[in-house]
C-alpha cells in the first residue's frame, strides 16, 4: 500500500471578495468542498410546449470587472457573454495625484482629485458597457463615489450625520454630493439603469451608522427624493443587503412604503449555497403582505461558486430580472505582481472572476459557462429540475436552435444522468421526418485554460409520437456543466455522429473522495497495488472533479488498468487527459483485441494535463479492450483523467 493513497480534499479556491461576508455563512469555496457521495443518478425534464416568457440572460452581469479606462477586456472576450448588467462606482481608487484620497470624503467632502478619478471611472465604464457591441446597462453605486468602500478607515463623516450646531440630521452636504453626480451624468449623457444608493448597509465597513436606523432612512429618503426631483424617470435600487434576510428587509419595506420612497428595483446579494428562486418567492410574499406592487429584482452581487450553470438556472426559475457576479478571486489568479497599493477591487479587467488576474487571454471553464449561456436566446421553457441538477431551456425559431444548459448543485453530483425532452411536437421546425439532431457538450471544471467545451455525443435521434426523446449520459465529474443542443437534421447534414462515452467511471469519480485501489468499472493486471485513485498531491490536481487515476509504486512496478467492452462493429476513437513526472520505461494508452493490431499512444512527460488520442480503431469482432499502462521505478508516477471511448463516423 502506497503512503500517498489517502483521503483527500480539493484545494479551496482563494476567495477574495470586496463584499465582507458575515462569518456565520460558509464561503463558496468551503461550500464547494462539502462531502460528496458516490456515483448517483438524477434526471431533468424539459417541456418545449410550456413557454415561460422571453429569455433575458438574467445573471449575465458583473460587479466591476472592466479596467479603469473601460477598454479591457477586449470585445472578443466580452461580447460572447451577452452581459447586460455592470455595477460599480470607482471603489478603492486613489486621487489623481496618487495621494490616499478616497472619493468625496477623502477630498474633504467636496469634488476633488479622489472624487474626480472615481467619477471618470464611472464615465469610462458606462460608455463602454452601454455601447455596441455590449449594449448593457449600468447600476451606479453611490457609496463608492462617496468613499465608503471598506478601505476608508474609521472617523469619517457619513451622509446625513447630525449637525454639531443643531443636533439635527444634516443632509445638505449629501445633497451637494448627489447633485454633483447628477450634473456629471447629464453632462456626459450617461445611461444609468438604476441608482444603487448604499451597498450592504448592515456592514459597518460600508455604512457605519447602523442598519435601519433613523439616520439610514434619512439618507435613503434624501437620495431617493433628490434624484427623482431632478431625474423623474430615474430608477432607484436598494437596499442591497449583503444577503437576503426577511427580518432585515421588513423594516425597510415598512418605512419606504410609509415615506413614499419604495425602490423601483429591489436589490440584494446572494451566495451560491442559498437558492435565489426561494429568496425571490419570499420577497414576493413580503411585498404582497404590504400591498406593495411587485417590482423587478436584482441580485447585483452574487457568488455562483463553481456551479454557475446551476445558479443561473435558479435565477431564471425565480424570475429575477437581473443579477451580477460579485468580485470573487479565481483559483488561477496570478497575483505575483500585486502590490499593497494595487487593490484587488476594482479595476482588474477579469470579468468578475471569469478570467484570472494576470492571465488576460485565458478562457476558463467559468468563461465558457457564461459564453454558452450567451448563446441561448428566444423563449425560455419549463424545466423540472432533478434533485441534484438544474437547467435552463430556450428555443429560438429564428436561429433554428434549442438549448438546455445544466449544472449541478454544491453536493458534487456525478454519475448517471438523463434529460427527457418533451413537447417537440410544439416546435415542428426542430424536427425532420420525426428526427432531431442532438449534440451534448461538457464544460469540465479544470485548473487550466479551456480551449472549448468538449463534445460528449452528436447523434440524430428519433422523436416519439408524443414529441419526446430521452437522453441518458454520464455526468463525469462534480462541478461540470453540460449543454444539450437541438437542431433540425437538415440544417447541418454534414455533421458527424459521435456516440456517447462507452467507458464506465471515465473520470474516476464514482468511488467518492477517499481514494481506492479498485475504481468502479475498471480492471487491473500485474502489480495491482500500484494503480489507485487520488486527488491533489503537491501541485498536481485532477484534471476535472476531485479524482484521477495514478499509477506509481514504491519500487519497480508494471500495471495495466483497463476495461473490456462489447461494442457494435464500427470505427472508434479513444482519448484521455494525461500527466506524468517522467523516467518510466513505458507509459501509454492502449487499444487491443478488437480484430486489428494492438495500438498505443505514449503519454508525454509534463505535469500539465495533455490530451492524447488513438484514432481509427476499426472494430470487427464486437469487442474492444482499452486501458492505460506504466512500467517504472520507485517514485515515478503517471496520472490519467477524463478517459473516453466513442464510436465515430
Amino acid at each position: 500500500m502506497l503512503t500517498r493513497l489517502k483521503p483527500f480534499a480539493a484545494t479551496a479556491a482563494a476567495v477574495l471578495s470586496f463584499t465582507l461576508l458575515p462569518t456565520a455563512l460558509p464561503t463558496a469555496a468551503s461550500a464547494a468542498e462539502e462531502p460528496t457521495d458516490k456515483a448517483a443518478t438524477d434526471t431533468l425534464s424539459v417541456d418545449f410546449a410550456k413557454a415561460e416568457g422571453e429569455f433575458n440572460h438574467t445573471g449575465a452581469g458583473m460587479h466591476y470587472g472592466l479596467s479603469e479606462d473601460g477598454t479591457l477586456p477586449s470585445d472578443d472576450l466580452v461580447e460572447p457573454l451577452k452581459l447586460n448588467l455592470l455595477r460599480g462606482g470607482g471603489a478603492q481608487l486613489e486621487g489623481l495625484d496618487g495621494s490616499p484620497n478616497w472619493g468625496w470624503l477623502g477630498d474633504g467632502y467636496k469634488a476633488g482629485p479622489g472624487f474626480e478619478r472615481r467619477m471618470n471611472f464611472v464615465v469610462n465604464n458606462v460608455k463602454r458597457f452601454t455601447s455596441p457591441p455590449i449594449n448593457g446597462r449600468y447600476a451606479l453605486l453611490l457609496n463608492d463615489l462617496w468613499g465608503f468602500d471598506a478601505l476608508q478607515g474609521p472617523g469619517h463623516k457619513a451622509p446625513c450625520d447630525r449637525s454639531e450646531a443643531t443636533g439635527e440630521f444634516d443632509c445638505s452636504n449629501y445633497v451637494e454630493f448627489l447633485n454633483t453626480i447628477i450634473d456629471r451624468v447629464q453632462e456626459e449623457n450617461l445611461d444609468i439603469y438604476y441608482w444603487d444608493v448604499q451597498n450592504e448597509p448592515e456592514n459597518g465597513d460600508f455604512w457605519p451608522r447602523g442598519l435601519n436606523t433613523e439616520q439610514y432612512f434619512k439618507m435613503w429618503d434624501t437620495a431617493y427624493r433628490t434624484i427623482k426631483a431632478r431625474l423623474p424617470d430615474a430608477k432607484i435600487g436598494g437596499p442591497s443587503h449583503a444577503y437576503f434576510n426577511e427580518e432585515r428587509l421588513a423594516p425597510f419595506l415598512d418605512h419606504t412604503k410609509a415615506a413614499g420612497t419604495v425602490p423601483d428595483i429591489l436589490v440584494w446579494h446572494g451566495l451560491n449555497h442559498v437558492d435565489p428562486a426561494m429568496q425571490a418567492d419570499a420577497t414576493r410574499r413580503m411585498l404582497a403582505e404590504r400591498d406593495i406592487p411587485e417590482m423587478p429584482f436584482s441580485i447585483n452581487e452574487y457568488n455562483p461558486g463553481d456551479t454557475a450553470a446551476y445558479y443561473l438556472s435558479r435565477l431564471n426559475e425565480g424570475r429575477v430580472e437581473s443579477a451580477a457576479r460579485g468580485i470573487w478571486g479565481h483559483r488561477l489568479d496570478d497575483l505575483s505582481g500585486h502590490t499593497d497599493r494595487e487593490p484587488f477591487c476594482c479595476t482588474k479587467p477579469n470579468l468578475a472572476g471569469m478570467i484570472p488576474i494576470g492571465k488576460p487571454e485565458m478562457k476558463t471553464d467559468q468563461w465558457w459557462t457564461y459564453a454558452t449561456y450567451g448563446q441561448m436566446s428566444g423563449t425560455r421553457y419549463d424545466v423540472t429540475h432533478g434533485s441534484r441538477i438544474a437547467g435552463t431551456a430556450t428555443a429560438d425559431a429564428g436561429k433554428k436552435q434549442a438549448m438546455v444548459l445544466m449544472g449541478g448543485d454544491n453536493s458534487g453530483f456525478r454519475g448517471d444522468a438523463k434529460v427527457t425532452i418533451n413537447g417537440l411536437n410544439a416546435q415542428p421546425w426542430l424536427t425532420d421526418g420525426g428526427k432531431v439532431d442532438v449534440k451534448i457538450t461538457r464544460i469540465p471544471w479544470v485548473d487550466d485554460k479551456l480551449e472549448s467545451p468538449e463534445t460528449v455525443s452528436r447523434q440524430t435521434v428519433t422523436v416519439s409520437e408524443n414529441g419526446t426523446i430521452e437522453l441518458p449520459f454520464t455526468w463525469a465529474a462534480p462541478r461540470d456543466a453540460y449543454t444539450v443542443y437541438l437542431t433540425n437534421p437538415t440544417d447541418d447534414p454534414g455533421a458527424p455522429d459521435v456516440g456517447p462515452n462507452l467507458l464506465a467511471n471515465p473520470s474516476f469519480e464514482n468511488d467518492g473522495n477517499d481514494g481506492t485501489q479498485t475504481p468502479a468499472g475498471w480492471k487491473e493486471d500485474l502489480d495491482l497495488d500500484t494503480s489507485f485513485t487520488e486527488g491533489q498531491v503537491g501541485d498536481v490536481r485532477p484534471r476535472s472533479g476531485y479524482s484521477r487515476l495514478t499509477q506509481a509504486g514504491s519500487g519497480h512496478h508494471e500495471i495495466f488498468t483497463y476495461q473490456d467492452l462489447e461494442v457494435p462493429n464500427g470505427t472508434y476513437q479513444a482519448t484521455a487527459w494525461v500527466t506524468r513526472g517522467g523516467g518510466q520505461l513505458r507509459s501509454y494508452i492502449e487499444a487491443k483485441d478488437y480484430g486489428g493490431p494492438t495500438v498505443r499512444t505514449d503519454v508525454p512527460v509534463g505535469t500539465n494535463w495533455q490530451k492524447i488520442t488513438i484514432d481509427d480503431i476499426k472494430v470487427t469482432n464486437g469487442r474492444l479492450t482499452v486501458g492505460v499502462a506504466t512500467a517504472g521505478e520507485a517514485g515515478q508516477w503517471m496520472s490519467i483523467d477524463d478517459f473516453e471511448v466513442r464510436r465515430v463516423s
Side-chain angles (χ1 to χ4, degrees):
M1 177 73 75
L2 295 176
T3 57
R4 64 187 272 152
L5 177 57
K6 62 181 68 177
F8 70 90
T11 298
V15 179
L16 301 174
S17 173
F18 176 48
T19 301
L20 302 180
L21 296 175
T23 57
L25 291 178
T27 66
S30 64
E33 293 171 4
E34 290 300 314
T36 61
D37 60 16
K38 296 184 179 182
T41 61
D42 205 1
T43 61
L44 179 145
S45 65
V46 178
D47 192 340
F48 281 112
K50 294 183 179 179
E52 298 287 346
E54 183 180 3
F55 177 66
N56 71 347
H57 288 102
T58 185
M62 305 184 299
H63 178 48
Y64 291 95
L66 301 182
S67 61
E68 182 175 353
D69 64 5
T71 62
L72 297 174
S74 57
D75 284 346
D76 64 311
L77 290 171
V78 178
E79 195 278 333
L81 308 177
K82 297 296 185 291
L83 300 174
N84 55 24
L85 182 67
L86 179 63
R87 177 181 186 243
Q92 301 186 0
L93 293 177
E94 298 175 333
L96 292 173
D97 58 358
S99 60
N101 295 324
W102 308 104
W104 184 266
L105 68 83
D107 291 334
Y109 306 98
K110 62 182 185 296
F115 174 81
E116 185 65 17
R117 184 179 179 188
R118 296 185 182 210
M119 198 68 233
N120 288 340
F121 171 96
V122 170
V123 171
N124 294 333
N125 274 249
V126 172
K127 288 187 174 181
R128 165 82 186 285
F129 198 78
T130 61
S131 300
I134 303 175
N135 296 316
R137 302 172 297 178
Y138 195 88
L140 178 57
L141 191 51
L142 295 179
N143 64 277
D144 283 354
L145 287 169
W146 178 272
F148 278 172
D149 58 10
L151 291 186
Q152 73 276 4
H156 297 288
K157 294 180 181 178
C160 300
D161 271 349
R162 293 185 185 273
S163 167
E164 294 182 2
T166 66
E168 301 295 328
F169 292 117
D170 182 359
C171 297
S172 58
N173 184 255
Y174 188 51
V175 171
E176 179 185 353
F177 163 77
L178 294 170
N179 280 320
T180 302
I181 298 170
I182 293 170
D183 288 342
R184 187 70 180 278
V185 167
Q186 292 181 319
E187 174 188 332
E188 300 284 354
N189 193 30
L190 301 183
D191 184 5
I192 305 299
Y193 174 45
Y194 65 84
W195 299 65
D196 196 342
V197 175
Q198 176 61 53
N199 184 65
E200 300 185 4
E202 71 271 58
N203 189 330
D205 288 287
F206 296 108
W207 174 253
R209 301 296 186 259
L211 177 68
N212 294 334
T213 59
E214 187 178 0
Q215 183 174 346
Y216 169 75
F217 288 129
K218 185 74 172 178
M219 178 273 298
W220 172 269
D221 293 344
T222 298
Y224 185 99
R225 291 164 181 158
T226 301
I227 296 168
K228 290 281 192 179
R230 292 193 56 186
L231 302 171
D233 294 331
K235 293 181 173 63
I236 310 300
S240 292
H241 288 159
Y243 59 95
F244 181 81
N245 182 288
E246 291 191 33
E247 293 182 357
R248 295 177 176 182
L249 181 58
F252 175 83
L253 294 177
D254 293 338
H255 169 84
T256 55
K257 180 182 179 182
T261 58
V262 174
D264 302 285
I265 298 174
L266 199 64
V267 182
W268 67 91
H269 298 168
L271 293 171
N272 65 323
H273 62 282
V274 182
D275 188 354
M278 295 179 63
Q279 294 173 337
D281 289 343
T283 302
R284 291 186 178 94
R285 172 181 50 77
M286 295 181 70
L287 293 174
E289 290 171 351
R290 290 162 174 79
D291 198 28
I292 299 175
E294 185 175 331
M295 72 282 283
F297 299 159
S298 183
I299 303 179
N300 64 13
E301 197 172 335
Y302 72 82
N303 177 15
D306 299 314
T307 58
Y310 184 91
Y311 196 87
L312 291 170
S313 73
R314 300 306 297 162
L315 288 171
N316 280 285
E317 185 75 11
R319 305 192 312 278
V320 176
E321 194 272 342
S322 63
R325 286 173 58 99
I327 304 171
W328 297 88
H330 194 281
R331 61 188 180 276
L332 297 177
D333 281 342
D334 179 6
L335 299 176
S336 58
H338 186 83
T339 67
D340 292 340
R341 289 177 59 83
E342 185 183 21
F344 182 82
C345 171
C346 298
T347 63
K348 303 295 186 184
N350 67 335
L351 300 178
M354 284 184 266
I355 297 174
I357 293 172
K359 302 173 183 179
E361 299 301 321
M362 179 179 285
K363 295 179 179 178
T364 66
D365 51 294
Q366 290 279 291
W367 187 91
W368 280 108
T369 297
Y370 283 86
T372 302
Y373 190 64
Q375 296 172 4
M376 306 184 82
S377 61
T379 301
R380 186 170 66 87
Y381 286 86
D382 176 74
V383 177
T384 301
H385 298 159
S387 61
R388 312 284 291 279
I389 59 178
T392 304
T394 62
D396 189 333
K399 292 185 177 180
K400 298 182 178 181
Q401 179 173 268
M403 293 176 61
V404 185
L405 175 63
M406 300 170 290
D409 64 13
N410 273 331
S411 63
F413 175 72
R414 62 280 187 91
D416 295 328
K418 183 174 71 174
V419 180
T420 301
I421 308 291
N422 300 304
L424 289 175
N425 291 344
Q427 310 292 338
W429 52 272
L430 267 177
T431 60
D432 181 71
K435 297 181 181 297
V436 61
D437 192 86
V438 179
K439 180 172 74 170
I440 301 177
T441 63
R442 175 196 182 204
I443 304 173
W445 188 91
V446 296
D447 271 330
D448 201 349
K449 66 180 178 181
L450 185 63
E451 295 294 343
S452 66
E454 302 169 356
T455 298
V456 172
S457 63
R458 175 72 185 269
Q459 301 181 76
T460 299
V461 178
T462 300
V463 181
S464 71
E465 291 185 359
N466 63 356
T468 296
I469 59 174
E470 292 188 346
L471 307 173
F473 67 100
T474 298
W475 197 287
R479 301 180 289 195
D480 283 353
Y482 288 83
T483 310
V484 176
Y485 294 87
L486 303 172
T487 55
N488 190 300
T490 62
D491 291 335
D492 191 8
D497 285 348
V498 179
N501 188 6
L502 300 176
L503 293 178
N505 192 17
S507 297
F508 306 97
E509 302 288 341
N510 288 12
D511 300 287
N513 298 350
D514 295 332
T516 179
Q517 289 183 306
T518 55
W522 294 87
K523 300 178 181 179
E524 297 175 319
D525 277 342
L526 304 174
D527 300 326
L528 303 185
D529 65 344
T530 62
S531 179
F532 48 87
T533 62
E534 64 179 353
Q536 180 174 353
V537 176
D539 293 331
V540 181
R541 301 185 184 188
R543 193 257 173 175
S544 68
Y546 296 105
S547 298
R548 56 184 164 131
L549 180 77
T550 293
Q551 294 180 338
S554 56
H556 178 79
H557 57 277
E558 297 186 38
I559 182 68
F560 182 49
T561 308
Y562 65 98
Q563 291 188 29
D564 292 322
L565 305 174
E566 294 184 4
V567 298
N569 290 343
T571 302
Y572 292 79
Q573 179 191 72
T575 64
W577 288 85
V578 294
T579 177
R580 72 181 175 109
Q584 290 94 335
L585 297 173
R586 295 178 297 278
S587 191
Y588 53 83
I589 62 171
E590 179 179 87
K592 64 180 181 179
D593 301 335
Y594 59 89
T598 296
V599 288
R600 297 171 177 173
T601 296
D602 290 336
V603 173
V605 176
T607 56
N608 292 326
W609 288 98
Q610 302 178 64
K611 188 177 184 179
I612 61 174
T613 301
I614 299 176
D615 280 317
D616 202 32
I617 305 169
K618 297 186 182 299
V619 175
T620 59
N621 61 358
R623 298 176 51 218
L624 173 61
T625 296
V626 175
V628 57
T630 294
E633 304 299 332
Q636 296 172 350
W637 61 272
M638 186 280 299
S639 288
I640 189 168
D641 205 351
D642 295 328
F643 205 158
E644 298 182 352
V645 174
R646 302 183 188 280
R647 185 176 181 180
V648 297
S649 61

